[in-house]
Amino acid sequence: MADQGGVIGFYSPDEEPQPWKSRLELDLPEFRFEPLENVSDVHCVHYALVWNPPVGFLNQFVNLKAVFVLGAGVDSLLRDKTLPPVPIVKLSDAGMANQMAHYVAYGVLHFHRRFGEYRQFQMEQRWSPILDISSAGQFPIGVLGLGAIGSVVARQIARLGFPVLGWSNSPKQIDGVRTYVGEDDLAELLRESRVLVNLLPLTHKTENLIDRSFIKRMRPGAFLINIGRGRHVREDDLLESLEEGLLSGAMLDVFDEEPLPNESPLWRHPNLLITPHVSGITMPQIALDQIVKNIQLIEFGETPRSLVDLDRGY
Ligand code: GLV
C-alpha cells in the first residue's frame, strides 16, 4: 500500500470536507486527509478529490497518482490545460441518477398534465379543466445521452408509460427504450419527442448544440428539460424560440453563467421553470464507496473504474 505520509487532498467550493475526511481516514488509514488549499507539503499529495478547482491549481501537486472529480461532469476540470498527466476519475451515478430521474419525471408530468396552466388558473381563481390532453402513450420523450445517468432516467420515464426514445454516441440497449446512435437517428428522435431531455456531457462537440437550427428540427411546440450543462443551450435562441412558439416551455437546472444573474430574462419568462443546479446532488457516502474502491485499485496497480477518456472529453 501507500508510503506512510501520503495525503489525500480535498478541494470544493460547495462541499464541507468533514464527511469526506471521516470516512477516508477510516477506510484508508495509511493516508492523511488535508484540504488542498493549505496542504503541509505539496509533494505528499497522492490523490486529489476536487470540484471546480481554479485553473492551474492542480499542477503544483507533482506526485499525484489520480484526480477524483466529485461529480459526474468533468467539463470544467478539462478546461484546465495544465492538468497533471494522471488518470482522472469521475463519479458514476453516485446517487445522482435516481434524483435526476425524479427531476425529469416532475418536468415531464408538469408539461404533460399542464400544471403550469393550472397554477395560473389558481392565481385567477378560475375553474378551467383542460380536457384535450393526450395519453402518456402518445407523448414521446426524447433523452439525449444514455450514460450512467441517462440510462436510468430513460428507464424510469418509460416505466411511467411514456414512449422513450434515447440517443447516445455509442450503441446502447435499454429495456423499454427505443435507442438510436448517430446523426440520422437524432433527426427522427427530435421530430417525435414532445419533451426533449438533455443529459449529454459538455464537450467541444456538444457545446451550443441546442441552438436555433437544432430547435427548428424539434417537434413544433415541444418542451425542453436541460440537466446537462448550460453551455449546451444558446440561451438567446431558446428565448427567441419560446417567443415564436417553436418551443412551448422549458425546465432548466443549468445555465451559461451560474448563479444565473439577476438581470437574466430567463428568470421572468412565464414558460420557464428554473432551478439552481440541484437536479442531481452528489451523495458523499455513495461517492466515497466509489473513491475508496478506486484508490485501492490504483494502489494495487489496477485500473480504476469510471476513468475519464481525455480524447472524448467525458
Ligand atoms: C453536477 O453537475 C455534476 O456534474 O455532478
Side-chain angles (χ1 to χ4, degrees):
M1 293 296 275
D3 331 322
Q4 278 302 317
V7 165
I8 299 180
F10 182 90
Y11 177 91
S12 168
D14 302 339
E15 302 265 350
E16 285 303 320
Q18 194 52 46
W20 303 83
K21 176 175 161 67
S22 324
R23 168 74 189 280
L24 286 166
E25 287 184 346
L26 193 71
D27 281 9
L28 299 168
E30 61 278 33
F31 290 96
R32 277 178 295 124
F33 179 98
E34 292 183 17
L36 281 173
E37 302 99 300
N38 43 20
V39 83
S40 47
D41 178 355
V42 292
H43 297 93
C44 292
V45 180
H46 290 176
Y47 296 102
L49 276 48
V50 298
W51 182 246
N52 285 346
V55 169
F57 177 66
L58 287 173
N59 77 0
Q60 62 185 304
F61 305 108
V62 288
N63 290 326
L64 273 179
K65 297 185 191 176
V67 173
F68 289 90
V69 180
L70 302 177
V74 292
D75 46 290
S76 80
L77 187 74
L78 298 192
R79 276 204 293 276
D80 184 348
K81 296 301 165 215
T82 69
L83 284 179
V86 296
I88 296 174
V89 185
K90 62 183 173 181
L91 295 178
S92 168
D93 177 350
M96 281 176 265
N98 220 13
Q99 293 173 63
M100 292 171 100
H102 294 169
Y103 184 100
V104 172
Y106 178 92
V108 164
L109 295 173
H110 180 92
F111 295 132
H112 177 234
R113 298 299 302 272
R114 320 272 289 257
F115 286 120
E117 283 144 279
Y118 288 122
R119 179 76 191 144
Q120 187 54 40
F121 295 165
Q122 182 184 345
M123 315 266 240
E124 297 163 13
Q125 291 157 279
R126 206 169 117 201
W127 185 273
S128 184
I130 302 167
L131 299 176
D132 65 338
I133 65 163
S134 39
S135 69
Q138 295 167 325
F139 201 81
I141 311 299
V143 178
L144 300 182
L146 296 173
I149 293 172
S151 53
V152 174
V153 170
R155 207 176 292 121
Q156 292 204 22
I157 298 304
R159 283 205 203 110
L160 293 175
F162 295 96
V164 177
L165 295 72
W167 182 85
S168 58
N169 204 17
S170 53
K172 296 276 159 58
Q173 270 199 340
I174 302 173
D175 278 353
V177 178
R178 223 156 88 200
T179 53
Y180 299 85
V181 207
E183 180 58 20
D184 290 348
D185 289 325
L186 185 56
E188 181 176 316
L189 178 150
L190 293 183
R191 253 196 330 267
E192 288 195 25
S193 301
R194 301 286 293 263
V195 180
L196 185 72
V197 181
N198 175 44
L199 267 160
L200 290 169
L202 182 67
T203 66
H204 65 276
K205 283 195 190 149
T206 62
E207 182 158 1
N208 290 327
L209 175 75
I210 305 180
D211 62 1
R212 190 177 167 75
S213 69
F214 182 96
I215 294 170
K216 279 189 142 166
R217 293 164 65 203
M218 288 171 64
R219 184 176 180 133
F223 298 89
L224 174 72
I225 298 180
N226 188 19
I227 51 175
R229 285 288 185 260
R231 284 164 53 202
H232 282 126
V233 177
R234 290 200 86 104
E235 290 176 353
D236 290 350
D237 289 3
L238 173 79
L239 282 165
E240 224 173 82
S241 308
L242 287 166
E243 290 315 316
E244 291 170 23
L246 290 175
L247 279 179
S248 295
M251 184 172 178
L252 307 173
D253 189 46
V254 286
F255 302 89
D256 200 0
E257 189 181 338
E258 294 181 11
L260 183 62
N262 276 347
E263 62 279 10
S264 168
L266 296 176
W267 281 117
R268 291 181 301 279
H269 199 287
N271 296 355
L272 289 179
L273 290 172
I274 306 272
T275 52
H277 203 143
V278 289
S279 62
I281 305 218
T282 301
M283 298 279 162
Q285 293 316 321
I286 308 179
L288 277 159
D289 290 343
Q290 295 181 12
I291 293 170
V292 168
K293 177 91 204 135
N294 272 329
I295 290 181
Q296 286 165 339
L297 285 172
I298 297 172
E299 289 295 310
F300 284 113
E302 291 175 35
T303 309
R305 313 253 154 77
S306 308
L307 207 51
V308 172
D309 178 334
L310 294 178
D311 292 332
R312 279 191 330 192
Y314 60 94

